Amino acid sequence: MSKYIEEYKKEIQKSKNILVNKKVSIIGIPLSEGQDLEGVHLACDDLRRLGLYDVIKSVGWDYEDVGDVKIEKKKMHSNEKKILLNGNGPEKNDQNGCVEYEENNIYYNDIKNIEVIGKSSENIFKQCDKELKKKNFVLNIGGDHSIAFATILSSVHNYENLKLVWIDAHGDINVPETSPSMNYHGMPLAHALNLFKKKVPYFEWAEKLKHLKPENVALIGIRDVDEYEKIIIKKSNIHYYSMFDIDKHGMYNICKNALQKIDPDNNSPIHVSLDIDSIDVLYAPATGTLAKGGLTYREIHLLLKMLADTKRVVCMDLVEYNPLMDVKDKKLHCDSLPIHADATVTGKLCLEMIARILGNDIA
Ligand SMILES: NC(=[NH2+])NCCC[C@H](N)C(=O)O
């Protein structure tokens, strides 16, 4: 065995996860209002059906499924236009008990479905906070990437010095002024970094909470980034690694470098936010914003294994899997996890990745 591999193995043997119990809290978050397609809200139930519990048990972990977070429905407002057209502070309640936002420049008024997202995010934050306090490994199954604002703030709230590894084809770091779609799932990283210039309706609950610091963030896998997003990424002081960087240096070196940058002392808790669209269409066809040239099966597994080897991952989001878009898979000889025989391609990959972040090794 080469010296390289021996050294790596020695290094990881030293560490032990003292941060979490060997128990996974599963939180289903069927929020799909951050983007335009139907189906992403079905992911958590789909993974439960395909063998989520057996997979977790088979890699030596216990689990507690706390069910799905309540997704708030949009209320009927007495003056609907007022709420969407004006972006103004919560001034008064209408007869349905709804907050109205009156005209001024304090609030963003045009982010799509922001009432549902803002109110549901408060529920996500609370549920996540409760599970993190149990010192379990918290697994948040989306839903679209909108869920990450609340899950990350919850991790930041519970773990001092939290580091974030965001794995994605996209930056998700648009601010409303630069967003081409006005879909919130393209903005949660910017929001968590507190880059928004105005307030966001229905997110008042988060205003006093600690936000992320850019030096604690590594963004890995980007390849479909909007014009202005590129500028935001460069100016923001986060550490970022595009597919070109991965091609050039290899995933092993990229992961080592990213961890070294965000956590030079190797002792901080890590939150992983994993968007399924980081992975190539070939291995993960079931997602709404597909981008060619993504991570290979080997690369994503290597990355997750190396993160698991830190023994400091305390929370993971798995987002943007849309079961309605998935395709049939065939059983292979090497399939060893207890995954249901009718699992589809992306669904099966999601379960394999969950096994990997919990420390299950590929031979
Ligand atoms: N989480 C995702 N899939 N994000 C895709 C974002 C696409 C685009 N950049 C936007 O802001 O609308």
Side-chain angles (χ1 to χ4, degrees):
M1 203 192 303
S2 76
K3 212 173 136 221
Y4 202 46
I5 299 175
E6 268 171 25
E7 266 171 24
Y8 180 77
K9 289 207 165 170
K10 246 192 255 158
E11 223 175 275
I12 63 167
Q13 265 157 19
K14 280 189 274 171
S15 50
K16 170 159 161 258
N17 194 338
I18 46 161
L19 298 164
V20 291
N21 307 318
K22 228 174 167 190
K23 187 168 189 182
V24 181
S25 281
I26 302 164
I27 308 181
I29 314 182
L31 178 69
S32 60
E33 278 77 359
Q35 45 86 64
D36 301 321
L37 285 176
E38 266 291 295
V40 76
H41 64 291
L42 302 170
C44 194
D45 270 348
D46 188 68
L47 298 183
R48 287 178 176 118
R49 185 183 63 80
L50 295 180
L52 177 61
Y53 308 139
D54 288 343
V55 167
I56 293 174
K57 273 192 291 180
S58 75
V59 295
W61 288 65
D62 208 353
Y63 69 88
E64 183 182 348
D65 186 351
V66 298
D68 289 351
V69 172
K70 180 164 187 259
I71 303 305
E72 302 288 344
K73 291 282 156 266
K74 192 173 182 308
K75 290 220 178 100
M76 286 307 293
H77 294 268
S78 58
N79 185 350
E80 193 74 4
K81 273 203 181 126
K82 198 171 179 184
I83 286 145
L84 291 176
L85 295 178
N86 308 329
N88 317 323
E91 298 272 305
K92 56 180 186 294
N93 289 354
D94 68 8
Q95 71 260 39
N96 302 319
C98 296
V99 171
E100 295 193 14
Y101 291 86
E102 285 182 0
E103 178 123 26
N104 64 40
N105 282 328
I106 298 174
Y107 278 81
Y108 287 113
N109 52 31
D110 42 6
I111 306 171
K112 289 185 198 161
N113 303 321
I114 204 60
E115 179 174 352
V116 173
I117 298 169
K119 288 179 175 173
S120 306
S121 290
E122 185 171 8
N123 299 343
I124 298 169
F125 178 87
K126 285 184 183 152
Q127 183 71 64
C128 228
D129 182 55
K130 193 167 158 205
E131 299 314 306
L132 288 166
K133 292 215 158 38
K134 295 178 185 166
K135 294 287 169 207
N136 288 348
F137 178 107
V138 178
L139 176 63
N140 303 304
I141 305 182
D144 66 56
H145 222 153
S146 304
I147 70 161
F149 172 79
T151 62
I152 290 167
L153 257 62
S154 196
S155 289
V156 170
H157 183 70
N158 279 278
Y159 286 100
E160 210 171 306
N161 220 9
L162 183 97
K163 311 297 175 181
L164 171 69
V165 178
W166 185 292
I167 309 166
D168 205 327
H170 307 97
D172 289 354
I173 196 166
N174 271 304
V175 293
E177 290 85 345
T178 65
S179 169
S181 63
M182 277 300 159
N183 284 329
Y184 183 79
H185 81 154
M187 314 180 194
L189 184 53
H191 198 188
L193 285 163
N194 216 1
L195 300 181
F196 284 14
K197 297 228 162 45
K198 299 190 209 171
K199 294 176 185 237
V200 186
Y202 307 100
F203 274 92
E204 288 84 6
W205 58 269
E207 279 169 12
K208 297 229 161 60
L209 291 171
K210 234 206 270 168
H211 285 55
L212 262 181
K213 293 206 188 96
E215 62 271 24
N216 292 336
V217 180
L219 173 55
I220 301 180
I222 42 172
R223 61 187 183 280
D224 183 15
V225 182
D226 303 318
E227 206 55 32
Y228 291 111
E229 240 187 337
K230 289 184 188 159
I231 301 171
I232 300 177
I233 290 177
K234 287 187 185 144
K235 281 182 111 178
S236 69
N237 285 329
I238 62 168
H239 306 281
Y240 59 94
Y241 303 87
S242 70
M243 288 309 298
F244 289 112
D245 298 320
I246 297 167
D247 292 342
K248 222 161 136 188
H249 303 286
M251 184 55 97
Y252 180 87
N253 295 313
I254 292 293
C255 184
K256 282 234 120 184
N257 189 278
L259 287 172
Q260 215 272 326
K261 287 272 195 252
I262 57 174
D263 189 23
D265 297 330
N266 283 319
N267 60 8
S268 303
I270 300 170
H271 180 122
V272 176
S273 201
L274 171 55
D275 190 319
I276 192 79
D277 68 27
S278 58
I279 302 153
D280 196 79
V281 183
L282 198 62
Y283 314 99
T287 189
T289 40
L290 291 164
K292 270 189 195 169
L295 300 175
T296 65
Y297 184 86
R298 300 298 312 181
E299 283 165 340
I300 186 64
H301 282 278
L302 175 59
L303 174 55
L304 295 176
K305 175 180 164 40
M306 290 179 76
L307 291 170
D309 285 345
T310 65
K311 308 257 174 49
R312 282 179 281 109
V313 179
V314 294
C315 188
M316 180 167 94
D317 314 319
L318 179 54
V319 298
E320 300 280 349
Y321 165 43
N322 186 334
L324 295 183
M325 298 176 74
D326 218 359
V327 296
K328 237 176 135 55
D329 191 36
K330 50 174 188 277
K331 189 158 170 62
L332 301 179
H333 188 256
C334 67
D335 285 344
S336 54
L337 292 167
I339 298 175
H340 202 285
D342 73 357
T344 46
V345 169
T346 318
K348 187 193 239 176
L349 176 64
C350 286
L351 292 177
E352 289 171 338
M353 293 192 305
I354 290 169
R356 212 65 66 219
I357 199 67
L358 297 176
N360 176 246
D361 277 355
I362 301 188

